[in-house]
Amino acid sequence: MSTPGPVGQGLQLAPFRGLRYVAERVGSLAAVTSPPYDVVVRPDGLRALETADPYNIVRLILPQADTPADRHRQAAETLRRWQADGILAPDPEPALYVYEQRDGHVLQRGIIGALRLSPREEGVVLPHEEVMPHVVEDRAALMRATDANLEPLLLAYRSDGSVTGAAAVLERAVQGRPLLSTPTEDGFSHHLWRVTDPADLAQIAADLRHRQALIADGHHRWATYLRLREERTEPGPWDFGLVLLVDTARYPLRVRAIHRLLHQLSPAEALAALGAPDAHRTPPGQPGSGSAAFRVRPVDGPLPQALATLAKAADEPGAGNAFLLAGHGGFLLLDRPDPALLARTIPADRPEAWRTLDATVLHSVLLEHIWNVPDTPSHIGYIHDAAAAVEQAERHGGTAVLMHPVREGVVHDLAREGIPMPHKSTSFGPKPASGLVLRSLALG
Protein backbone atom coordinates (compact mmCIF):
# COMPACT_ATOMS: atom_id res chain seq x y z
CA MET A 1 0.00 0.00 0.00
CA SER A 2 1.11 3.57 -0.55
CA THR A 3 1.54 5.06 2.89
CA PRO A 4 2.13 8.83 2.49
CA GLY A 5 -0.82 11.14 3.06
CA PRO A 6 -2.58 10.23 6.33
CA VAL A 7 -5.08 12.80 7.61
CA GLY A 8 -3.48 12.79 11.07
CA GLN A 9 0.13 13.27 12.12
CA GLY A 10 1.41 9.99 10.73
CA LEU A 11 2.94 7.16 12.74
CA GLN A 12 4.43 8.30 16.06
CA LEU A 13 6.49 5.50 17.60
CA ALA A 14 7.79 6.21 21.10
CA PRO A 15 10.65 4.46 22.92
CA PHE A 16 9.75 2.58 26.10
CA ARG A 17 11.53 0.63 28.83
CA GLY A 18 11.05 -2.93 27.64
CA LEU A 19 10.20 -5.53 30.26
CA ARG A 20 12.15 -8.67 29.38
CA TYR A 21 12.98 -12.09 30.73
CA VAL A 22 16.26 -12.36 32.64
CA ALA A 23 17.94 -15.16 30.70
CA GLU A 24 19.74 -16.56 33.77
CA ARG A 25 16.43 -17.05 35.62
CA VAL A 26 14.62 -19.17 33.00
CA GLY A 27 15.40 -22.48 31.35
CA SER A 28 15.84 -20.80 27.97
CA LEU A 29 14.33 -17.90 26.07
CA ALA A 30 12.86 -20.38 23.59
CA ALA A 31 11.03 -22.15 26.42
CA VAL A 32 9.29 -18.99 27.66
CA THR A 33 8.07 -17.68 24.29
CA SER A 34 4.73 -18.42 22.64
CA PRO A 35 2.80 -17.65 19.48
CA PRO A 36 0.28 -14.80 19.88
CA TYR A 37 -2.64 -15.60 22.18
CA ASP A 38 -5.15 -16.19 19.38
CA VAL A 39 -2.91 -18.69 17.61
CA VAL A 40 -2.62 -20.93 20.69
CA VAL A 41 -6.05 -22.55 20.28
CA ARG A 42 -5.57 -26.22 21.03
CA PRO A 43 -5.64 -27.32 24.69
CA ASP A 44 -2.73 -29.67 24.06
CA GLY A 45 -0.74 -26.78 22.59
CA LEU A 46 -1.46 -24.63 25.63
CA ARG A 47 -0.43 -27.44 27.99
CA ALA A 48 2.78 -27.97 26.03
CA LEU A 49 3.70 -24.32 26.43
CA GLU A 50 2.79 -24.27 30.11
CA THR A 51 5.00 -27.30 30.78
CA ALA A 52 7.88 -26.07 28.62
CA ASP A 53 8.91 -23.69 31.41
CA PRO A 54 7.11 -22.53 34.59
CA TYR A 55 7.58 -18.95 33.37
CA ASN A 56 6.21 -19.34 29.85
CA ILE A 57 4.43 -16.20 28.65
CA VAL A 58 1.14 -18.10 28.11
CA ARG A 59 0.62 -17.88 31.88
CA LEU A 60 0.17 -14.14 31.28
CA ILE A 61 -1.53 -13.97 27.87
CA LEU A 62 -3.76 -17.05 28.40
CA PRO A 63 -4.11 -17.55 32.16
CA GLN A 64 -6.16 -20.56 33.23
CA ALA A 65 -8.80 -20.29 35.99
CA ASP A 66 -12.50 -20.99 36.51
CA THR A 67 -13.84 -17.51 35.74
CA PRO A 68 -12.68 -14.59 33.58
CA ALA A 69 -12.19 -12.43 36.67
CA ASP A 70 -10.03 -15.13 38.26
CA ARG A 71 -8.00 -15.52 35.07
CA HIS A 72 -7.25 -11.82 34.82
CA ARG A 73 -6.45 -11.53 38.53
CA GLN A 74 -4.15 -14.53 38.27
CA ALA A 75 -2.28 -13.00 35.33
CA ALA A 76 -1.79 -9.75 37.24
CA GLU A 77 -0.51 -11.56 40.32
CA THR A 78 1.82 -13.69 38.19
CA LEU A 79 3.24 -10.63 36.45
CA ARG A 80 3.87 -8.87 39.77
CA ARG A 81 5.48 -11.96 41.26
CA TRP A 82 7.77 -12.52 38.28
CA GLN A 83 8.98 -8.94 38.50
CA ALA A 84 9.50 -9.15 42.26
CA ASP A 85 11.43 -12.42 41.84
CA GLY A 86 13.62 -11.03 39.06
CA ILE A 87 12.22 -13.29 36.33
CA LEU A 88 11.26 -10.20 34.36
CA ALA A 89 13.20 -6.95 34.59
CA PRO A 90 12.90 -3.57 32.84
CA ASP A 91 15.63 -2.29 30.58
CA PRO A 92 17.57 0.63 32.04
CA GLU A 93 16.38 3.29 29.58
CA PRO A 94 13.64 3.80 26.98
CA ALA A 95 14.40 2.29 23.59
CA LEU A 96 12.95 1.17 20.30
CA TYR A 97 13.72 -2.44 19.45
CA VAL A 98 14.77 -3.80 16.07
CA TYR A 99 13.29 -7.27 15.74
CA GLU A 100 14.33 -9.92 13.22
CA GLN A 101 12.69 -13.24 12.38
CA ARG A 102 14.45 -15.64 10.04
CA ASP A 103 14.02 -19.18 8.76
CA GLY A 104 15.32 -20.93 5.68
CA HIS A 105 13.01 -18.99 3.34
CA VAL A 106 11.85 -15.88 5.16
CA LEU A 107 13.63 -12.83 6.56
CA GLN A 108 11.51 -10.24 8.33
CA ARG A 109 12.71 -7.16 10.18
CA GLY A 110 10.78 -4.43 11.91
CA ILE A 111 10.75 -1.99 14.79
CA ILE A 112 8.96 -2.54 18.11
CA GLY A 113 7.80 0.54 19.99
CA ALA A 114 4.86 2.26 21.68
CA LEU A 115 2.66 3.71 18.93
CA ARG A 116 0.43 6.73 19.50
CA LEU A 117 -3.16 5.57 19.22
CA SER A 118 -5.38 7.16 16.61
CA PRO A 119 -8.97 6.65 15.47
CA ARG A 120 -9.79 5.31 12.02
CA GLU A 121 -10.85 8.76 10.85
CA GLU A 122 -7.27 10.06 11.05
CA GLY A 123 -6.19 7.61 8.37
CA VAL A 124 -2.97 6.74 10.21
CA VAL A 125 -3.69 3.16 11.30
CA LEU A 126 -6.07 1.28 8.99
CA PRO A 127 -7.95 -1.76 10.26
CA HIS A 128 -9.26 -4.20 7.68
CA GLU A 129 -11.33 -6.60 9.78
CA GLU A 130 -14.31 -6.39 12.09
CA VAL A 131 -13.82 -7.46 15.71
CA MET A 132 -15.80 -9.62 18.12
CA PRO A 133 -16.93 -7.64 21.19
CA HIS A 134 -16.45 -10.48 23.65
CA VAL A 135 -12.80 -10.84 22.64
CA VAL A 136 -12.17 -7.11 23.02
CA GLU A 137 -13.79 -7.17 26.46
CA ASP A 138 -11.63 -10.10 27.56
CA ARG A 139 -8.40 -8.48 26.32
CA ALA A 140 -9.40 -5.16 27.92
CA ALA A 141 -10.00 -6.81 31.29
CA LEU A 142 -6.63 -8.56 31.04
CA MET A 143 -4.78 -5.32 30.19
CA ARG A 144 -6.54 -3.43 32.98
CA ALA A 145 -5.59 -6.10 35.50
CA THR A 146 -1.95 -6.41 34.42
CA ASP A 147 -1.45 -2.73 33.54
CA ALA A 148 0.63 -3.94 30.61
CA ASN A 149 0.78 -4.57 26.87
CA LEU A 150 1.88 -8.21 26.91
CA GLU A 151 2.49 -8.80 23.19
CA PRO A 152 2.92 -6.52 20.16
CA LEU A 153 0.49 -6.09 17.28
CA LEU A 154 1.84 -6.53 13.74
CA LEU A 155 1.45 -3.41 11.58
CA ALA A 156 2.55 -3.06 7.96
CA TYR A 157 3.62 0.16 6.27
CA ARG A 158 5.28 0.74 2.90
CA SER A 159 8.24 2.98 2.06
CA ASP A 160 9.84 3.51 -1.33
CA GLY A 161 12.16 0.59 -0.57
CA SER A 162 15.35 2.63 -0.23
CA VAL A 163 17.76 2.24 2.69
CA THR A 164 17.00 5.64 4.15
CA GLY A 165 15.13 6.91 7.20
CA ALA A 166 13.96 4.15 9.52
CA ALA A 167 15.33 1.49 7.16
CA ALA A 168 18.84 2.92 7.48
CA VAL A 169 18.68 2.82 11.28
CA LEU A 170 17.38 -0.73 11.17
CA GLU A 171 20.16 -1.89 8.85
CA ARG A 172 22.82 -0.27 11.05
CA ALA A 173 21.38 -1.84 14.17
CA VAL A 174 21.50 -5.41 12.87
CA GLN A 175 25.24 -5.07 12.25
CA GLY A 176 25.78 -5.00 16.02
CA ARG A 177 25.55 -7.74 18.61
CA PRO A 178 21.92 -8.70 19.37
CA LEU A 179 20.41 -7.99 22.74
CA LEU A 180 18.98 -11.52 22.60
CA SER A 181 18.79 -14.42 20.17
CA THR A 182 16.65 -17.54 20.38
CA PRO A 183 15.15 -20.19 18.12
CA THR A 184 11.54 -21.36 18.38
CA GLU A 185 9.92 -24.68 17.50
CA ASP A 186 8.43 -23.33 14.27
CA GLY A 187 11.93 -23.15 12.77
CA PHE A 188 12.40 -19.40 13.14
CA SER A 189 15.30 -17.71 14.86
CA HIS A 190 14.54 -14.45 16.66
CA HIS A 191 16.93 -11.55 17.32
CA LEU A 192 16.42 -8.26 19.15
CA TRP A 193 18.54 -5.08 19.12
CA ARG A 194 18.01 -1.96 21.20
CA VAL A 195 18.01 1.55 19.63
CA THR A 196 18.62 4.38 22.10
CA ASP A 197 20.80 6.91 20.25
CA PRO A 198 18.86 10.22 20.04
CA ALA A 199 19.94 10.79 16.43
CA ASP A 200 18.69 7.34 15.40
CA LEU A 201 15.40 7.84 17.23
CA ALA A 202 14.94 11.21 15.55
CA GLN A 203 15.65 9.69 12.13
CA ILE A 204 13.01 7.01 12.68
CA ALA A 205 10.48 9.58 13.91
CA ALA A 206 11.04 11.88 10.92
CA ASP A 207 10.48 8.99 8.49
CA LEU A 208 7.41 7.52 10.16
CA ARG A 209 5.53 10.79 10.59
CA HIS A 210 4.72 10.62 6.86
CA ARG A 211 3.49 7.04 6.94
CA GLN A 212 0.27 5.18 7.57
CA ALA A 213 0.00 1.50 8.48
CA LEU A 214 -2.32 -1.42 7.95
CA ILE A 215 -3.16 -3.64 10.92
CA ALA A 216 -1.80 -6.94 9.67
CA ASP A 217 -2.43 -8.88 12.88
CA GLY A 218 -4.02 -7.74 16.15
CA HIS A 219 -7.35 -6.06 15.38
CA HIS A 220 -8.82 -7.07 18.73
CA ARG A 221 -5.82 -5.76 20.64
CA TRP A 222 -5.93 -2.47 18.69
CA ALA A 223 -9.63 -2.11 19.48
CA THR A 224 -8.74 -2.87 23.10
CA TYR A 225 -6.07 -0.17 23.11
CA LEU A 226 -8.62 2.36 21.85
CA ARG A 227 -11.23 1.32 24.40
CA LEU A 228 -8.80 1.59 27.31
CA ARG A 229 -7.60 4.98 26.14
CA GLU A 230 -11.19 6.24 26.03
CA GLU A 231 -11.58 5.27 29.68
CA ARG A 232 -8.86 7.75 30.67
CA THR A 233 -9.47 11.46 31.04
CA GLU A 234 -5.82 12.52 31.30
CA PRO A 235 -2.93 11.97 28.86
CA GLY A 236 -0.62 9.14 29.81
CA PRO A 237 0.84 5.78 28.82
CA TRP A 238 -2.60 4.46 27.75
CA ASP A 239 -2.37 6.86 24.78
CA PHE A 240 0.13 4.41 23.25
CA GLY A 241 0.12 0.70 22.44
CA LEU A 242 2.82 -1.90 21.81
CA VAL A 243 3.34 -2.68 18.10
CA LEU A 244 5.80 -4.17 15.63
CA LEU A 245 6.07 -2.02 12.48
CA VAL A 246 7.28 -3.80 9.33
CA ASP A 247 8.13 -2.04 6.07
CA THR A 248 6.63 -4.39 3.50
CA ALA A 249 8.47 -2.71 0.64
CA ARG A 250 11.60 -4.32 2.07
CA TYR A 251 10.14 -7.26 3.98
CA PRO A 252 6.87 -8.47 2.40
CA LEU A 253 4.45 -10.27 4.68
CA ARG A 254 2.76 -13.56 3.85
CA VAL A 255 -1.03 -13.78 3.79
CA ARG A 256 -2.64 -17.00 4.96
CA ALA A 257 -6.19 -18.08 5.68
CA ILE A 258 -7.84 -18.58 9.06
CA HIS A 259 -10.00 -21.69 9.07
CA ARG A 260 -13.32 -22.32 10.82
CA LEU A 261 -14.14 -25.23 13.11
CA LEU A 262 -17.89 -25.75 13.48
CA HIS A 263 -18.09 -27.49 16.83
CA GLN A 264 -21.77 -28.47 16.78
CA LEU A 265 -22.37 -29.12 13.07
CA SER A 266 -21.53 -32.59 11.81
CA PRO A 267 -20.47 -33.16 8.20
CA ALA A 268 -23.67 -35.10 7.56
CA GLU A 269 -25.78 -32.19 8.83
CA ALA A 270 -23.76 -29.73 6.75
CA LEU A 271 -24.28 -31.78 3.60
CA ALA A 272 -27.97 -32.32 4.25
CA ALA A 273 -28.52 -28.59 4.62
CA LEU A 274 -26.71 -28.05 1.34
CA GLY A 275 -29.01 -30.56 -0.34
CA ALA A 276 -26.05 -32.84 -1.03
CA PRO A 277 -26.43 -35.93 1.17
CA ASP A 278 -24.76 -38.20 -1.39
CA ALA A 279 -21.74 -36.05 -2.21
CA HIS A 280 -19.33 -38.06 -0.08
CA ARG A 281 -20.17 -41.19 -2.09
CA THR A 282 -19.36 -39.63 -5.47
CA PRO A 283 -15.92 -40.76 -6.69
CA PRO A 284 -13.25 -38.01 -6.62
CA GLY A 285 -12.98 -36.20 -9.92
CA GLN A 286 -16.65 -36.68 -10.85
CA PRO A 287 -19.04 -33.72 -11.21
CA GLY A 288 -20.50 -34.18 -7.73
CA SER A 289 -23.85 -33.21 -6.28
CA GLY A 290 -26.30 -31.03 -8.09
CA SER A 291 -26.94 -28.89 -5.00
CA ALA A 292 -28.77 -25.67 -5.77
CA ALA A 293 -26.60 -23.76 -3.29
CA PHE A 294 -23.08 -24.91 -4.24
CA ARG A 295 -21.43 -27.52 -6.38
CA VAL A 296 -20.20 -30.19 -3.96
CA ARG A 297 -17.45 -32.63 -4.95
CA PRO A 298 -15.26 -35.09 -3.03
CA VAL A 299 -11.52 -34.55 -3.49
CA ASP A 300 -8.57 -36.78 -2.79
CA GLY A 301 -6.35 -36.41 0.24
CA PRO A 302 -4.08 -36.28 2.07
CA LEU A 303 -4.53 -32.73 3.38
CA PRO A 304 -1.76 -31.03 1.32
CA GLN A 305 -3.24 -32.48 -1.89
CA ALA A 306 -6.76 -31.44 -0.88
CA LEU A 307 -5.55 -27.89 -0.11
CA ALA A 308 -3.87 -27.79 -3.53
CA THR A 309 -7.22 -28.70 -5.10
CA LEU A 310 -8.87 -25.90 -3.12
CA ALA A 311 -6.24 -23.42 -4.36
CA LYS A 312 -6.77 -24.52 -7.96
CA ALA A 313 -10.56 -24.19 -7.62
CA ALA A 314 -10.24 -20.74 -6.06
CA ASP A 315 -8.24 -19.55 -9.07
CA GLU A 316 -10.41 -21.29 -11.66
CA PRO A 317 -12.36 -18.83 -13.86
CA GLY A 318 -16.04 -18.90 -13.01
CA ALA A 319 -15.65 -21.05 -9.91
CA GLY A 320 -16.57 -18.18 -7.61
CA ASN A 321 -16.03 -18.87 -3.94
CA ALA A 322 -14.49 -22.17 -2.87
CA PHE A 323 -14.28 -23.98 0.47
CA LEU A 324 -12.95 -27.32 1.64
CA LEU A 325 -15.03 -29.27 4.17
CA ALA A 326 -13.37 -31.88 6.38
CA GLY A 327 -14.23 -33.94 9.41
CA HIS A 328 -15.87 -37.04 8.00
CA GLY A 329 -12.70 -38.92 7.10
CA GLY A 330 -12.42 -37.23 3.71
CA PHE A 331 -12.62 -33.88 1.95
CA LEU A 332 -15.39 -32.15 0.07
CA LEU A 333 -14.96 -29.13 -2.18
CA LEU A 334 -17.72 -26.51 -2.27
CA ASP A 335 -17.57 -24.06 -5.17
CA ARG A 336 -19.70 -22.36 -7.85
CA PRO A 337 -22.30 -20.84 -5.48
CA ASP A 338 -25.70 -20.06 -6.95
CA PRO A 339 -25.69 -16.37 -8.03
CA ALA A 340 -29.35 -15.92 -7.08
CA LEU A 341 -28.62 -17.24 -3.59
CA LEU A 342 -25.71 -14.80 -3.24
CA ALA A 343 -27.90 -11.91 -4.33
CA ARG A 344 -30.55 -12.81 -1.73
CA THR A 345 -28.24 -13.34 1.24
CA ILE A 346 -25.31 -10.92 0.93
CA PRO A 347 -25.82 -7.24 1.86
CA ALA A 348 -26.04 -5.10 -1.26
CA ASP A 349 -24.67 -1.91 0.34
CA ARG A 350 -21.02 -2.93 0.18
CA PRO A 351 -18.44 -2.85 -2.64
CA GLU A 352 -18.20 -5.81 -4.99
CA ALA A 353 -14.75 -6.68 -3.59
CA TRP A 354 -16.34 -7.18 -0.14
CA ARG A 355 -19.41 -9.00 -1.46
CA THR A 356 -17.27 -11.61 -3.22
CA LEU A 357 -14.88 -12.35 -0.34
CA ASP A 358 -14.81 -15.99 0.72
CA ALA A 359 -15.27 -14.91 4.34
CA THR A 360 -18.33 -12.84 3.39
CA VAL A 361 -19.92 -15.72 1.51
CA LEU A 362 -19.06 -18.18 4.26
CA HIS A 363 -20.64 -16.10 7.02
CA SER A 364 -23.59 -14.55 5.14
CA VAL A 365 -24.57 -17.55 3.03
CA LEU A 366 -23.33 -20.77 4.60
CA LEU A 367 -23.20 -20.02 8.32
CA GLU A 368 -26.16 -17.65 8.66
CA HIS A 369 -28.52 -18.74 5.88
CA ILE A 370 -27.90 -22.44 5.17
CA TRP A 371 -26.41 -23.86 8.36
CA ASN A 372 -27.86 -21.44 10.95
CA VAL A 373 -24.64 -21.50 12.97
CA PRO A 374 -24.35 -18.65 15.51
CA ASP A 375 -21.03 -16.82 15.55
CA THR A 376 -20.25 -17.64 19.18
CA PRO A 377 -17.23 -19.43 20.68
CA SER A 378 -19.31 -22.49 21.52
CA HIS A 379 -20.25 -22.89 17.85
CA ILE A 380 -17.28 -21.56 15.83
CA GLY A 381 -13.57 -21.84 16.47
CA TYR A 382 -11.03 -19.83 14.44
CA ILE A 383 -7.90 -21.87 13.77
CA HIS A 384 -4.80 -20.80 11.84
CA ASP A 385 -3.45 -24.30 11.20
CA ALA A 386 -5.41 -26.42 8.71
CA ALA A 387 -4.16 -29.73 10.11
CA ALA A 388 -5.24 -28.73 13.62
CA ALA A 389 -8.71 -27.77 12.35
CA VAL A 390 -9.14 -31.13 10.58
CA GLU A 391 -7.83 -33.10 13.55
CA GLN A 392 -10.21 -31.42 15.97
CA ALA A 393 -13.17 -31.83 13.63
CA GLU A 394 -12.52 -35.54 13.26
CA ARG A 395 -11.91 -36.03 16.98
CA HIS A 396 -15.06 -34.25 18.15
CA GLY A 397 -17.48 -34.86 15.29
CA GLY A 398 -17.57 -31.30 14.01
CA THR A 399 -16.90 -29.83 10.59
CA ALA A 400 -13.78 -27.96 9.52
CA VAL A 401 -14.21 -25.32 6.82
CA LEU A 402 -10.82 -24.69 5.24
CA MET A 403 -10.30 -21.37 3.49
CA HIS A 404 -8.12 -20.08 0.68
CA PRO A 405 -6.09 -16.92 1.46
CA VAL A 406 -7.44 -13.61 0.24
CA ARG A 407 -5.22 -11.58 -2.09
CA GLU A 408 -3.20 -8.94 -0.25
CA GLY A 409 -4.20 -6.22 -2.71
CA VAL A 410 -7.87 -6.73 -1.84
CA VAL A 411 -7.08 -6.24 1.85
CA HIS A 412 -5.31 -2.94 1.18
CA ASP A 413 -8.00 -1.67 -1.17
CA LEU A 414 -10.83 -2.31 1.29
CA ALA A 415 -8.82 -0.83 4.18
CA ARG A 416 -8.28 2.40 2.22
CA GLU A 417 -12.03 2.59 1.56
CA GLY A 418 -12.76 2.07 5.25
CA ILE A 419 -14.67 -1.17 4.55
CA PRO A 420 -13.92 -3.79 7.22
CA MET A 421 -13.68 -7.42 6.17
CA PRO A 422 -15.45 -10.08 8.26
CA HIS A 423 -13.42 -10.88 11.36
CA LYS A 424 -10.68 -13.45 11.05
CA SER A 425 -10.53 -13.09 7.26
CA THR A 426 -6.75 -13.06 7.00
CA SER A 427 -3.62 -14.15 8.81
CA PHE A 428 -0.55 -12.06 8.00
CA GLY A 429 2.83 -13.33 9.06
CA PRO A 430 5.25 -14.27 10.23
CA LYS A 431 3.82 -13.06 13.52
CA PRO A 432 6.08 -11.75 16.29
CA ALA A 433 6.79 -14.22 19.07
CA SER A 434 5.20 -13.30 22.40
CA GLY A 435 7.50 -13.05 25.38
CA LEU A 436 10.55 -11.33 23.91
CA VAL A 437 9.63 -7.83 25.09
CA LEU A 438 6.64 -6.60 27.13
CA ARG A 439 5.51 -3.05 27.92
CA SER A 440 4.55 -2.28 31.50
CA LEU A 441 2.46 0.88 31.66
CA ALA A 442 3.58 1.35 35.24
CA LEU A 443 7.02 2.22 33.82
CA GLY A 444 5.54 5.11 31.82
Side-chain angles (χ1 to χ4, degrees), residues 37 40 46 50 57-64 139 142:
Y37 81 97
V40 185
L46 178 60
E50 287 180 326
I57 191 67
V58 293
R59 297 181 185 274
L60 299 180
I61 63 175
L62 288 173
Q64 299 299 295
R139 290 294 103 182
L142 179 63

Side-chain angles (χ1 to χ4, degrees), residues 258-265 326-327 373 376-383 388-394 396-402:
I258 301 177
H259 311 290
R260 274 59 170 167
L261 175 62
L262 310 183
H263 298 294
Q264 301 184 35
L265 183 74
V373 175
T376 63
S378 62
H379 286 86
I380 304 177
Y382 294 87
I383 300 181
V390 173
E391 187 271 334
Q392 290 194 53
E394 292 181 342
H396 300 294
T399 299
V401 183
L402 307 184

